[in-house]
Amino acid sequence: MNMEYAPPLNFGPDGAKKHVEVFLNTACPYCLNFFLAAHEAVMPRVESGEVRYTIKHYDKPKVRLLHGTIANLFLDYNQPNEAYEIMKSLFLTQKEWAHLDSGEIEQMMKQEYGCQEQRSTMNLSLDITKEALERSISVVPTVFINGEKFEFDSMSEPRQISEKLANILDW
């Protein structure tokens, strides 16, 4: 099942020896743990050209994750560095905005981040949801390294996840 999907956030060279791929949602507290861990363990390896890192925001239809879905629709994936920084900020402030209603999240994305709703992000969201269903991905975060599922305790501290990631990436 080697299909082409819409371009999510991609960092690092296509020909890197390691490829880390994550399905996540900015409203998920366990995704926060992985995102912070990957920021420490993966991003430096991306910058050195060792790793390609693909982030797929899974707008999974689950009540707890709908806030992330709304915020995601405002990210411009054609500006990957900016989208990554906004995603990072959303994760770091998750507890502050997770209780807002959908209209308040829209206002936050417009006022605090200067974002507008992106039609292309809605299309990307549909493609990622389709891919997740085809690949039987049922939880976030779900992580693959070179196509193999990376098993880890998503409730662990980011430092523990980061260490495990680093060990696999350096192997």
Side-chain angles (χ1 to χ4, degrees):
M1 179 180 18
N2 192 4
M3 298 179 191
E4 289 295 317
Y5 296 102
L9 288 182
N10 280 303
F11 301 97
D14 287 338
K17 290 183 180 181
K18 302 279 183 165
H19 180 208
V20 176
E21 175 187 29
V22 60
F23 287 78
L24 53 67
N25 184 295
T26 53
C28 170
Y30 307 120
C31 291
L32 165 64
N33 294 342
F34 179 82
F35 187 88
L36 295 177
H39 186 72
E40 293 300 315
V42 177
M43 289 310 271
R45 288 165 176 85
V46 165
E47 290 168 18
S48 69
E50 300 168 55
V51 173
R52 179 170 176 78
Y53 184 30
T54 304
I55 301 172
K56 297 179 178 180
H57 195 283
Y58 183 14
D59 296 334
K60 187 173 188 232
K62 184 174 180 183
V63 172
R64 278 184 51 181
L65 301 178
L66 290 177
H67 291 75
T69 297
I70 294 164
N72 182 52
L73 292 175
F74 287 81
L75 296 181
D76 183 354
Y77 285 87
N78 294 311
Q79 304 293 325
N81 292 328
E82 183 180 307
Y84 180 86
E85 289 303 319
I86 293 171
M87 194 176 276
K88 181 177 165 193
S89 178
L90 288 170
F91 274 120
L92 292 173
T93 60
Q94 188 182 74
K95 288 182 177 145
E96 298 166 23
W97 60 269
H99 68 279
L100 299 177
D101 68 30
S102 59
E104 291 169 325
I105 292 171
E106 287 182 32
Q107 286 299 87
M108 173 190 76
M109 294 305 293
K110 290 175 182 175
Q111 293 173 355
E112 291 182 33
Y113 297 104
C115 298
Q116 295 299 317
E117 193 168 343
Q118 301 292 316
R119 180 176 297 244
S120 62
T121 301
M122 186 176 296
N123 293 333
L124 174 61
S125 170
L126 293 171
D127 286 346
I128 289 172
T129 299
K130 180 177 183 262
E131 178 185 0
L133 293 171
E134 288 171 355
R135 293 174 72 182
S136 300
I137 295 167
S138 59
V139 297
V140 289
T142 295
V143 181
F144 297 92
I145 298 177
N146 288 353
E148 297 292 320
K149 193 167 183 184
F150 173 60
E151 299 293 342
F152 68 102
D153 180 358
S154 62
M155 290 185 264
S156 296
E157 291 295 317
R159 185 174 13 92
Q160 292 170 302
I161 299 169
S162 180
E163 289 170 5
K164 187 169 183 178
L165 264 173
N167 287 337
I168 288 178
L169 294 175
D170 291 340
W171 185 68

